[in-house]
Amino acid sequence: MCGIWALFGSDDCLSVQCTNAMKIAHRGPDAFRFENVNGYTNCCFGFHRLAIVDQLHGMQPLRIKKFPFLWLCYNGEIYNHHLLKEQFGFEFQTMVDGEVLLHLYDRFGISKMASLLDGVFAFVLLDSANRKVILGRDTYGVRPLFKFLADDGFLAVCSEAKGLTEVSHTMSMPVNITAFLPGHFEVFDLKQNGKVRSIQMDQFHCCTKEPAHAIYDTVGALANGFEEETVKGNIRILFENAVRKRLMANRRIGCLLSGGLDSSLVAATLVKLSKEWKLPYPIQTFSIGSKDSPDILAARKVAAHIGSEHHEVFFSVEDGLKSVEKVIFHLETYDITTIRASVGMYLVSKYIREKTDSVVIFSGEGSDELTQGYIYFHKAPSPKEGAEESIRLLNELYLFDVLRADRTTAAHGLELRVPFLDHRLTAYYLSLPDEMKIPKHGVEKHLLRDAFKGLDLIPDEILWRRKEAFSDGMMSVKKSWYTHLQEHLETLVNDEELANAKNAFPHNSPHTKEAYYFRQVFDKLFPDRGQWLSHYWMPRWTDATDPSARTLSIYTPDKD
C-alpha cells in the first residue's frame, strides 16, 4: 500500500503542483519522493512509500540500469513475481516485486505484461524511448487509481481523487476526475511538450475467465468435474493458496476478525499457514464493537479456537459520530452503507496503527459478492439471476466494499490484503453451475460453508453463523449502529432541507436525513463532485428503502 501521483504536460510550475501530492501522504508514511522526468520539464512523479518488500531498494519511481528509459510508479503487490522471474529467466537488480513489470513490458509489451500479473496493483509506466505513458489497475480495483485528462492533453494521475481536485490547469472548462476502470490498461502517446493522447484502452482481466497467469501458479491443474466433493476440495485448495501467496511481507501481518464466516476463515487459515512458514511472531487479530455486540462475542470465540493474539477495540456511539466527517474525507463517497461500515473499520485501523506493530492486514472482503452472501440473495428469482447479480457486485466492488477497505486502512498507513478476491479463486467459483452457488436450507454461502465442514478450522457455530452486516454487528442486537447514527443525524438535518433535497442535489438525491447529512459533508469536502458515485448500494429483489440487512423482512437476528 503506497500513494502514487503523476503529472504529464503540466501548465503550471511543478513545485506548486506537487503540494497536491501531499494530500495522500497517509498512504505512505515511511518515505516521500518527488522527481521530474528527464527531458520533460512539465512531467513528474510523486510517491509516498509504505515499505513492505525490499526496504533498501523500494523507492519509486522505480528505474533499473537495464532499462533506463522505463519509469514505474505503482501501488500494490505482485504475488507471482518470483515465479515469473524463474519462468522467463529475468535477472532482477532489486528485491522489489514491481521490478517484474519492467522485464515483462520490455519482453512482451503491455497486453501480455498486464495479463501475467497475479496481484493487486495500480501503476503508471513511462516508456520515454517510445514516448508512451501507460496506466493499469487490477481486476477488482483493490488498489485505487484516479485520472484527470484535460482536453489539451494534460494528464494527472493519483491513488486518491483528493490529490487531483486542486491541480491547476489552463482549460476554462472544469476537468472530470474519474476512477480508472479495474482490469484495464490505457496507453497514451507522449508528445514532446509533455501532453498526451489516448490511443488504446483494453480489458486484460475479466472476473469470469481463468487468468493467463494461472499456468504460472504454485497450484497446478485442479480436479475436473462438478461433483460436490471435487468442487469443495478445489475451493479449499484455491482459498488456502490465496492466503499463502499473500504472506509475502517484511512487516508484521495481522487480520481483521469480525466473527463472521469470511474473516474467520481468513484468520484461521492465516494462523495455520503462519506456523507452517514459521513466522517469528503470533498473528494478531482485531475486532471492534460495543462490549455486548454480536461481532465482539463471536470474534472472541474464533480467536480462542485458532490461538491468535486477539485485540478487542471497544467504541462508543460518540466515538463513531465524531469520526464520520474524517471517514467521508478518506472515502471520497457519500454512499450510505459504505460510510456506516467504514466507521468501525476506520477506528480499528487507527488502533492497529497506534497500539501495535502489525502493518499488513488481511480481511474477508469480497466473499459476500463472490459467494452470494448477502441476505437478499434468498430472494433471487432464479439461480441464473443470482449468478448474474454476483458478477455485477464484483464488478462494482471498487465503488463500495473494496473502496471502504482500502481507504479506511490506508488512512492509517496499513496495507490491506483480501484473499477472497484472488483472481484464480473467483474465476473458479464463478465457473460453477448456478444451482451450486445459491443459498440452501435457509443459509446463504452454503457451498463455501460446506467446503470447510468437519475440518475444525473454525468453530461450527461460526461456520454456520448467519450473515450479519458489519455496520450492524458492531453494536447490540437491540439497537444497531445505524439506528444510533440515524437518531443523531435526525437532529442535524431539518424537514425543510430534506424536502428540498432534489433541488440541492439533483444527482443521487438523498431520501433520508442520514443520506442528506452524508451528502452535505461530502459536498463541503469535495464541491461539485457528486458524480463520483454513480448510484447508491441497495439490495435487489426487495422493496428495501435502506441498505441495512436488518431492515429486510427476511432478516433474523443471531439469537446467540
Side-chain angles (χ1 to χ4, degrees):
M1 197 284 302
C2 299
I4 61 177
W5 184 87
L7 301 184
F8 300 92
S10 173
D11 302 311
D12 232 334
C13 173
L14 292 180
S15 60
V16 173
Q17 299 275 43
C18 77
T19 57
N20 291 288
M22 303 316 293
K23 293 181 182 178
I24 60 163
H26 50 273
R27 295 189 69 88
D30 293 333
F32 171 69
R33 177 184 283 174
F34 181 75
E35 189 168 341
N36 289 6
V37 177
N38 303 342
Y40 294 90
T41 56
N42 55 359
C43 298
C44 62
F45 289 93
F47 180 67
H48 295 276
R49 186 178 187 212
L50 178 67
I52 301 294
V53 176
D54 194 349
Q55 300 194 23
L56 180 61
H57 299 104
M59 272 307 284
Q60 296 182 35
L62 180 63
R63 301 177 72 199
I64 58 175
K65 288 180 182 177
K66 188 171 184 181
F67 311 119
F69 52 91
L70 296 181
W71 306 58
L72 174 68
C73 232
Y74 81 104
N75 166 211
E77 302 289 342
I78 311 302
Y79 302 126
N80 64 343
H81 70 289
H82 283 306
L83 291 169
L84 294 173
K85 176 186 175 185
E86 291 167 14
Q87 175 68 31
F88 298 114
F90 295 145
E91 292 183 13
F92 280 18
Q93 293 177 22
T94 72
M95 305 279 291
V96 180
D97 54 295
E99 185 182 334
V100 76
L101 274 74
L102 303 177
H103 294 272
L104 288 170
Y105 173 76
D106 179 72
R107 187 171 300 185
F108 300 118
I110 181 59
S111 294
K112 188 168 181 179
M113 178 204 98
S115 69
L116 290 178
L117 299 176
D118 180 11
V120 292
F121 51 84
F123 66 80
V124 185
L125 178 65
L126 167 63
D127 177 351
S128 59
N130 295 293
R131 293 195 181 173
K132 295 284 185 288
V133 174
I134 305 167
L135 309 182
R137 191 177 182 190
D138 65 72
T139 312
Y140 297 113
V142 174
R143 290 292 172 261
L145 188 66
F146 290 84
K147 74 172 185 180
F148 155 128
L149 182 60
D151 289 343
D152 67 348
F154 171 32
L155 173 68
V157 183
C158 190
S159 292
E160 297 182 13
K162 61 179 66 68
L164 302 177
T165 52
E166 292 178 27
V167 168
S168 56
H169 59 99
T170 56
M171 304 299 292
S172 56
M173 296 292 289
V175 178
N176 287 334
I177 296 167
T178 57
F180 192 82
L181 275 180
H184 286 71
F185 68 80
E186 185 170 13
V187 182
F188 300 85
D189 265 337
L190 179 66
K191 300 173 186 174
Q192 193 58 56
N193 65 359
K195 307 284 187 183
V196 304
R197 180 175 64 90
S198 179
I199 59 170
Q200 183 184 3
M201 177 81 163
D202 274 340
Q203 184 174 18
F204 63 89
H205 274 173
C206 171
C207 66
T208 57
K209 294 179 183 174
E210 184 171 75
H213 57 68
I215 58 173
Y216 307 123
D217 200 351
T218 48
V219 169
L222 299 170
N224 292 322
F226 294 127
E227 286 79 20
E228 200 167 290
E229 290 309 310
T230 300
V231 167
K232 290 191 292 188
N234 286 342
I235 290 170
R236 288 193 296 271
I237 289 168
L238 289 174
F239 177 70
E240 185 169 303
N241 187 47
V243 176
R244 183 183 291 108
K245 69 177 73 165
R246 284 163 176 76
L247 288 171
M248 180 183 88
N250 293 330
R251 303 289 289 273
R252 185 168 184 169
I253 295 170
C255 188
L256 301 182
L257 179 58
S258 70
L261 172 70
D262 311 324
S263 64
S264 298
L265 287 176
V266 172
T269 305
L270 182 56
V271 168
K272 174 189 162 191
L273 293 176
S274 72
K275 291 172 183 171
E276 289 179 16
W277 278 45
K278 296 184 169 55
L279 293 185
Y281 52 79
I283 296 295
Q284 294 178 324
T285 50
F286 305 92
S287 62
I288 185 166
S290 59
K291 294 201 174 181
D292 63 340
S293 75
D295 282 358
I296 283 281
L297 301 176
R300 194 178 295 165
K301 289 174 186 172
V302 176
H305 186 87
I306 66 176
S308 62
E309 182 188 300
H310 192 53
H311 297 245
E312 294 179 345
V313 182
F314 298 111
F315 91 110
S316 65
V317 175
E318 292 71 28
D319 293 331
L321 296 173
K322 275 188 216 166
S323 303
V324 169
E325 190 160 331
K326 288 179 189 168
V327 165
I328 293 173
F329 170 76
H330 283 287
L331 293 178
E332 302 173 338
T333 188
Y334 50 90
D335 180 64
I336 303 161
T337 192
T338 303
I339 294 169
R340 287 178 188 167
S342 292
V343 169
M345 204 162 178
Y346 176 85
L347 290 171
V348 75
S349 297
K350 183 173 186 284
Y351 171 91
I352 294 169
R353 186 69 193 178
E354 292 176 354
K355 306 290 186 187
T356 79
D357 59 347
S358 285
V359 177
V360 176
I361 305 299
F362 281 63
S363 83
E365 260 69 42
S367 176
D368 285 324
E369 291 77 8
L370 175 65
T371 64
Q372 303 189 21
Y374 292 113
I375 289 174
Y376 74 86
F377 273 97
H378 289 279
K379 292 286 190 181
S382 68
K384 182 174 183 291
E385 287 181 72
E388 289 169 351
E389 173 69 355
S390 186
I391 292 168
R392 182 189 74 84
L393 289 172
L394 285 166
N395 285 330
E396 292 184 356
L397 267 172
Y398 74 105
L399 296 171
F400 302 109
D401 277 24
V402 154
L403 180 148
R404 164 181 54 77
D406 172 82
R407 302 308 177 75
T408 52
T409 48
H412 301 290
L414 304 177
E415 181 183 298
L416 178 78
R417 296 201 176 167
V418 283
F420 274 109
L421 291 177
D422 182 82
H423 192 165
R424 198 162 174 210
L425 171 63
T426 60
Y428 176 75
Y429 203 97
L430 294 173
S431 75
L432 299 174
D434 295 344
E435 293 74 16
M436 291 191 85
K437 297 176 286 192
I438 61 173
K440 288 179 184 168
H441 313 303
V443 180
E444 61 285 338
K445 294 190 273 200
H446 192 276
L447 176 60
L448 178 65
R449 298 175 196 273
D450 210 31
F452 290 92
K453 185 175 69 176
L455 302 181
D456 198 37
L457 188 65
I458 60 176
D460 266 4
E461 63 188 291
I462 303 297
L463 185 64
W464 297 100
R465 184 186 176 203
R466 290 295 307 274
K467 166 70 181 165
E468 177 67 276
F470 182 50
S471 56
D472 301 342
M474 293 186 299
M475 290 284 175
S476 70
V477 172
K478 295 173 190 171
K479 194 166 184 179
S480 181
W481 155 240
Y482 84 90
T483 309
H484 285 289
L485 189 57
Q486 287 174 332
E487 286 178 358
H488 174 73
L489 299 181
E490 186 78 23
T491 64
L492 299 183
V493 177
N494 62 47
D495 294 341
E496 188 179 339
E497 286 175 310
L498 186 59
N500 193 46
K502 283 193 176 178
N503 295 324
F505 306 111
H507 175 71
N508 283 337
S509 303
H511 297 294
T512 65
K513 290 185 177 181
E514 177 191 23
Y516 189 98
Y517 176 77
F518 292 160
R519 185 61 180 275
Q520 204 173 37
V521 171
F522 173 88
D523 221 50
K524 180 180 78 172
L525 295 168
F526 307 106
D528 303 316
R529 301 290 183 179
Q531 78 280 3
W532 286 353
L533 179 66
S534 55
H535 60 282
Y536 289 110
W537 192 100
M538 290 292 282
R540 293 268 173 116
W541 310 308
T542 73
D543 56 358
T545 55
D546 188 283
S548 171
R550 289 194 178 185
T551 64
L552 302 180
S553 59
I554 49 177
Y555 173 79
T556 52
D558 186 345
K559 298 293 193 297
D560 299 325

